[in-house]
Amino acid sequence: AMPHGLPADEASTSSASLPSTATALPSVPEDDALPSGAAPKRKRATSPTLARRAVVSDLHNRLSRTISIDRLPEEGKRLNQTRIAREPSVEGIDKRVIWLLLRPADWMPPSDRTFPIGVDDILTLCNSVQPILESEPTLLQLSAPLKIFGDLHGQYADLMRLFDQFGTPSKEGGDINMVDYLFLGDFVDRGAHSLETIILLLALKKAYPRQIALVRGNHEAPEVNARDGFLHECVERCGGKVGGVIVWRRLNELFEWLPMAASVNGCILCVHGGIGRQLESLQQIRDMKRPLRMAGDNAELILDLLWSDPTKSDAVGGVHLNAERGSPIVCFGPDRVHAFLEANKLKMIVRGHECVMDGFQRFAGGKLITVFSATNYCNRWGNAGAILLVSKDLEIVPKLIFPVDDIGDEAAWLKAESHDEHLVNMRPPTPPRDDETVEATAQEKGVATSTDPGGELEEGDAGGAPQARRPG
């Protein structure tokens, strides 16, 4: 297994190589001849121009003033904390949300647990995003290059770190015009900032509908997120029980319209859980009619796509009942992976759903990769978080972050509490299954590693770690 205590600049990475017009602008006609003495018509601008003034403010927005753009260099020397201030556009809830929440370099959790987006604005955002999701197929068709994010579980600080270190989905200083973003579900639950996570992702989806792709996870269901923290957070941070339940219900209605999987360049299947027992062809996913409910039509296929896991190692083949998660959830072996890929003319499966110590891990001889983006899962395991960068030629490069001490891990994860009706039944997470170091870590922290077969669990893949090389 790959070491997981290295500094970020020495992080191990792996690559999995897969087989692998500009339109001229119309000319602008000259103005028609003008009557004598008439004022000339103003021509439409054909080239961008830079304003000759800028608004500057101090670090805490306590002082703001307008200066000539020619004075910016001397202003920067005079106030080393000065920055150019941007005012949010009042047009579009997505723009306001992005302006408030997308702060990769300096986001800090609010000390009083307030949430800056009101209930009415959340509902407006959901209403504006739902038609976009409804217009998308259940199986998305995406193209590289793109970044693939695994489970976030309300770890907003980790999401901001990933954006800060590996690129931000923004046109201003970001890379949204060069690379697409795919998120593999489990946006909410367990973490303390699920609202920031899901509301920002929805705003990004509204702002960049073709570049941002959201796939459903098993926690995007009321049966699960009422128990594992999201309902609790909505009630706590959205004005009490009435407002919180309204927000929680509306978001879960929206989750039912999320796509179930994505195909990248027609050769990589991306899904939250796995292929389970029922999935034989991609057409089965295309044929699923949304909205999709866990207990509705296609229940067995939904269970496989959102809940199934690979077996414990490449040595365990076949399809078996999942002893950790409980019946009727199954785990599938490397032989099942190879057969599915061959039958569907695919090259690889990328999935999330399981905590892995190095943030990513291979299975089935590298034909399946698990990616998990939240660090130090539930403040227990000290695992790294990762995203996968898929280049245009389909080389896959993991990008890793490691747990840090200054983001308040104790407050970053919710805990089961007997006095809270929404947290009393929260299931404990299952430790990753990477190697014996998990047991040692658990013993050092005094954490039990036994599992509850009837519970909702987040397992770790046992596939071998890729050979290490420097990040690309």
Side-chain angles (χ1 to χ4, degrees):
M2 190 170 64
H4 47 273
L6 297 177
D9 58 5
E10 296 294 327
S12 298
T13 59
S14 170
S15 64
S17 296
L18 306 180
S20 47
T21 55
T23 303
L25 292 172
S27 59
V28 179
E30 295 290 332
D31 287 335
D32 296 333
L34 298 173
S36 177
K41 293 182 180 179
R42 189 174 181 177
K43 293 183 179 181
R44 178 177 297 179
T46 58
S47 299
T49 59
L50 180 65
R52 301 305 302 169
R53 61 190 181 279
V55 179
V56 297
S57 68
D58 65 10
L59 182 62
H60 303 288
N61 283 320
R62 293 171 182 163
L63 177 65
S64 180
R65 59 200 181 93
T66 301
I67 65 172
S68 167
I69 198 169
D70 297 326
R71 293 179 54 197
L72 283 177
E74 62 182 79
E75 186 73 9
K77 293 177 182 178
R78 192 177 73 83
L79 294 175
N80 58 6
Q81 295 292 346
T82 295
R83 61 185 174 87
I84 297 178
R86 293 186 301 115
E87 295 185 5
S89 169
V90 296
E91 298 180 2
I93 179 60
D94 56 310
K95 294 180 177 64
R96 295 203 300 269
V97 169
I98 292 170
W99 187 85
L100 285 168
L101 296 183
L102 185 58
R103 299 186 176 274
D106 59 5
W107 181 83
M108 292 295 292
S111 58
D112 57 1
R113 293 287 290 160
T114 57
F115 187 60
I117 314 300
V119 171
D120 289 342
D121 281 342
I122 294 174
L123 300 180
T124 299
L125 179 63
C126 290
N127 293 339
S128 67
V129 173
Q130 181 159 328
I132 298 173
L133 298 179
E134 290 183 17
S135 69
E136 294 180 329
T138 309
L139 177 64
L140 297 172
Q141 302 294 322
L142 307 178
S143 299
L146 81 163
K147 302 173 189 176
I148 303 177
F149 290 69
D151 300 34
L152 292 167
H153 282 297
Q155 286 307 289
Y156 196 70
D158 284 338
L159 179 60
M160 292 298 99
R161 290 171 62 205
L162 289 165
F163 285 167
D164 188 37
Q165 294 187 31
F166 307 124
T168 303
S170 171
K171 290 183 178 179
E172 299 179 11
D175 58 8
I176 194 68
N177 288 330
M178 297 181 289
V179 61
D180 293 345
Y181 285 69
L182 170 61
F183 297 85
L184 293 182
D186 277 13
F187 316 119
V188 303
D189 274 349
R190 301 200 181 278
H193 298 98
S194 292
L195 278 170
E196 280 90 347
T197 303
I198 184 58
I199 296 304
L200 176 66
L201 292 180
L202 292 177
L204 290 170
K205 181 64 179 177
K206 170 63 176 175
Y208 310 111
R210 295 184 179 180
Q211 294 100 322
I212 301 291
L214 307 178
V215 166
R216 189 176 182 178
N218 62 303
H219 282 261
E220 278 71 63
E223 299 89 344
V224 177
N225 62 48
R227 179 193 68 198
D228 285 348
F230 188 46
L231 174 57
H232 163 81
E233 182 179 345
C234 290
V235 170
E236 177 193 16
R237 306 182 69 195
C238 292
K241 194 166 186 177
V242 174
V245 170
I246 289 173
V247 166
W248 175 77
R249 285 177 174 168
R250 182 64 185 97
L251 285 166
N252 274 289
E253 290 173 358
L254 193 66
F255 293 158
E256 295 174 354
W257 288 96
L258 287 170
M260 296 295 289
S263 172
V264 179
N265 283 37
C267 61
I268 306 175
L269 175 65
C270 299
V271 65
H272 177 73
I275 56 176
R277 184 195 303 274
Q278 299 294 324
L279 186 63
E280 296 295 340
S281 74
L282 298 183
Q283 190 60 42
Q284 290 174 263
I285 305 176
R286 296 187 185 99
D287 291 341
M288 299 175 78
K289 303 300 182 185
R290 294 167 295 162
L292 289 168
R293 298 175 176 84
M294 299 297 291
D297 296 337
N298 305 115
E300 291 183 346
L301 185 55
I302 293 173
L303 199 68
D304 281 348
L305 293 172
L306 301 187
W307 287 87
S308 66
D309 298 315
T311 54
K312 289 186 177 293
S313 75
D314 282 7
V316 182
V319 178
H320 313 276
L321 286 178
N322 194 318
E324 302 290 358
R325 299 189 188 274
S327 177
I329 302 168
V330 301
C331 52
F332 52 93
D335 52 340
R336 169 88 169 106
V337 172
H338 290 294
F340 179 84
L341 293 176
E342 182 177 359
N344 289 276
K345 298 180 180 179
L346 297 169
K347 301 300 180 183
M348 179 177 288
I349 297 171
V350 174
R351 43 92 67 174
H353 194 41
E354 296 185 289
C355 176
V356 286
M357 289 303 295
D358 293 314
F360 74 103
Q361 202 169 70
R362 298 189 305 174
F363 180 79
K367 294 297 185 180
L368 181 147
I369 297 179
T370 296
V371 58
F372 197 84
S373 297
T375 66
N376 193 21
Y377 186 44
C378 289
N379 197 35
R380 295 190 178 202
W381 311 118
N383 60 282
I387 64 173
L388 303 178
L389 177 59
V390 184
S391 67
K392 193 171 184 178
D393 60 1
L394 300 183
E395 181 186 43
I396 298 177
V397 180
K399 302 287 187 176
L400 278 63
I401 59 172
F402 292 87
V404 294
D405 296 329
D406 59 352
I407 61 171
D409 279 340
E410 286 292 338
W413 296 100
L414 299 177
K415 299 178 181 178
E417 298 180 14
S418 59
H419 66 272
D420 192 300
E421 62 176 314
H422 300 130
L423 295 179
V424 64
N425 294 318
M426 180 185 289
R427 296 287 185 176
T430 301
R433 296 175 293 177
D434 292 56
D435 55 28
E436 65 276 3
T437 60
V438 172
E439 287 289 342
T441 302
Q443 291 173 5
E444 289 175 5
K445 292 190 174 185
V447 177
T449 58
S450 59
T451 60
D452 175 5
E456 183 278 325
L457 307 170
E458 301 290 341
E459 294 301 317
D461 174 27
Q467 295 296 315
R469 73 175 180 86
R470 283 190 178 275

